[in-house]
Amino acid sequence: MSKRKTAIFKIQSKIKRRLAEYLELKDFIEINPVILSPMTDLLNHPTAPGEIKCYGEKYYLTQSMIFHKQTALKSLDKIFVFSPNVRIEPADRCKTGRHLFEFTQLDLEIKKAKREDIMTLCEEMITELIKNIKKDCKKELKILKRTLKTSKPPFKRITYSQAYEKYGKDFEIKISKEYKEPIWIIDMPIMHREFYDREHNDKPGYLADMDLIYPEGYGEALSGGEREYKYERIKKRMKNKGKKQSEFKSYLEIAKGGLPPSAGFGIGIERLTRYICGLKKIEETTLFPKIPGKKCI
Ligand code: AMP
Ligand code: MG
């Protein structure tokens, strides 16, 4: 294996270790990933879920563990999981440098947390991580010729509406290219996201959610926010989004029995590795990349 590849995988291994250590120190418990379930996030993206028949029933390959995270909080207070996701992305996304059709999210959720709590946690987690990787992986970063800038919390914030007004519809990538530090985009319009993101208490029509954008053109790092947990409100939001309740039968049954309020986010490990290593293409961050539109092993 080339020195370059070894450096990338050593850094990725360290990233995962350091993130897990950080979360465990904050009293999070790591849970196992769910690969197959009759319920998965159907997403507000042009992706399709993988489907498989088990004992005559339709199961999905996980697109995100959002519903399982909410359910897990009925038993635990703070959880994280390295969750493999399969999302059959449109084939032309092979050119973006940041899409795979199989990837891993570090997905976390906290019972009774507010958006502000998880934004603060995330800022500290990323800042600590970068500091530690610069310390642990000096040699590897040198091989990759990567000069990583240490970020400093709090990160700047811009609302979705401000971003759209200033940069137009491609705001994510334009902001990413313009900024030298990670930046938050907050308060997405309610119809732009899925039914499980919670509407802002003080700003009807907008969500208490956020995306973190990497600097230097690396694009979106993570998405998250506060979650809707009230059964009647979930049903109303599903209806407004044109989602069929029959597709979410298991989830609705759980929600009827009572879900705890929570907030959380999911950060893509391959994109994080790409950013930290300064790579042109996300393919380089995994030994068996699933490139949209291509036949991959
Ligand atoms: P989402 O909930 O769709 O925002 O996904 C959460 C995070 O997972 C994103 O912010 C990315 O870091 C990562 N992610 C989403 N889709 C992909 C993909 N196709 N390839 C690689 N990473 C992805
Ligand atoms: Mg997102």
Side-chain angles (χ1 to χ4, degrees):
M1 183 150 341
S2 72
K3 261 189 176 175
R4 180 181 167 80
K5 270 205 185 306
T6 309
I8 294 169
F9 293 119
K10 167 104 190 277
I11 291 174
Q12 187 172 64
S13 175
K14 228 4 160 205
I15 289 172
K16 289 169 78 179
R17 189 79 22 98
R18 283 289 189 182
L19 289 172
E21 273 169 15
Y22 174 84
L23 292 171
E24 275 166 8
L25 279 175
K26 298 269 170 191
D27 298 324
F28 280 78
I29 292 176
E30 181 172 5
I31 62 166
N32 283 340
V34 171
I35 311 281
L36 272 180
S37 174
M39 59 182 193
T40 195
D41 188 352
L42 291 180
L43 297 168
N44 197 45
H45 305 316
T47 61
E51 287 179 24
I52 184 170
K53 271 255 161 72
C54 297
Y55 310 106
E57 295 286 335
K58 182 163 87 175
Y59 278 67
Y60 293 110
L61 296 175
T62 294
Q63 293 209 103
S64 99
M65 265 182 65
I66 180 64
F67 305 138
H68 294 86
K69 286 199 301 178
Q70 282 185 291
T71 309
L73 292 188
K74 284 164 81 100
S75 328
L76 301 166
D77 290 344
K78 288 173 145 191
I79 52 159
F80 74 96
V81 50
F82 287 101
S83 166
N85 290 180
V86 172
R87 298 182 181 181
I88 307 170
E89 298 277 0
D92 61 358
R93 288 197 169 169
C94 64
K95 299 189 207 105
T96 64
R98 59 182 192 280
H99 288 92
L100 296 169
F101 67 93
E102 179 190 276
F103 62 94
T104 302
Q105 283 193 56
L106 169 62
D107 220 346
L108 62 85
E109 199 76 17
I110 310 179
K111 198 190 284 185
K112 292 191 187 145
K114 294 288 182 198
R115 177 176 67 181
E116 212 51 45
D117 304 324
I118 53 168
M119 287 173 79
T120 307
L121 173 100
C122 176
E123 288 174 347
E124 194 188 275
M125 184 179 87
I126 301 256
T127 305
E128 281 278 301
L129 176 72
I130 291 181
K131 222 167 58 195
N132 283 323
I133 294 292
K134 285 175 79 161
K135 186 164 62 111
D136 297 342
C137 303
K138 260 196 199 114
K139 196 176 88 201
E140 289 73 22
L141 289 170
K142 201 165 167 211
I143 291 170
L144 298 171
K145 300 190 176 65
R146 176 67 166 148
T147 316
L148 249 187
K149 200 166 171 269
T150 316
S151 50
K152 238 172 99 196
F155 300 163
K156 281 208 178 81
R157 297 174 182 202
I158 177 169
T159 66
Y160 177 100
S161 309
Q162 288 166 337
Y164 196 92
E165 196 173 302
K166 185 158 178 208
Y167 299 93
K169 74 174 174 31
D170 294 328
F171 61 83
E172 179 196 315
I173 209 68
K174 286 186 180 152
I175 287 174
S176 181
K177 283 183 180 154
E178 184 174 314
Y179 280 80
K180 304 273 175 281
E181 303 228 343
I183 172 167
W184 294 108
I185 299 178
I186 59 169
D187 300 352
M188 318 298 169
I190 197 161
M191 291 307 278
H192 285 233
R193 287 285 155 96
E194 267 309 330
F195 60 81
Y196 50 74
D197 278 354
R198 190 168 164 80
E199 191 171 8
H200 213 298
N201 278 340
D202 314 322
K203 203 172 162 184
Y206 294 86
L207 300 166
D209 66 350
M210 76 287 176
D211 280 357
L212 184 70
I213 308 298
Y214 290 124
E216 304 172 61
Y218 289 98
E220 183 190 303
L222 65 86
S223 293
E226 289 173 28
R227 315 302 185 184
E228 187 49 74
Y229 59 96
K230 293 189 173 154
Y231 178 61
E232 291 302 331
R233 289 175 63 137
I234 292 174
K235 282 203 304 187
K236 190 168 152 221
R237 292 281 304 282
M238 272 183 176
K239 189 162 170 241
N240 293 346
K241 285 291 288 182
K243 297 278 184 214
K244 285 196 210 121
Q245 287 190 22
S246 56
E247 285 277 4
F248 299 94
K249 245 167 114 187
S250 321
Y251 176 61
L252 284 170
E253 265 166 39
I254 297 163
K256 200 172 181 181
L259 285 170
S262 70
F265 61 79
I267 178 165
I269 291 296
E270 294 81 359
R271 288 192 189 179
L272 177 58
T273 308
R274 177 181 176 233
Y275 167 62
I276 287 188
C277 294
L279 309 175
K280 198 155 177 272
K281 292 193 167 178
I282 196 166
E283 284 100 287
E284 277 200 278
T285 65
T286 159
L287 279 179
F288 304 105
K290 302 294 182 301
I291 303 165
K294 306 260 158 69
K295 187 168 180 183
C296 308
I297 58 159

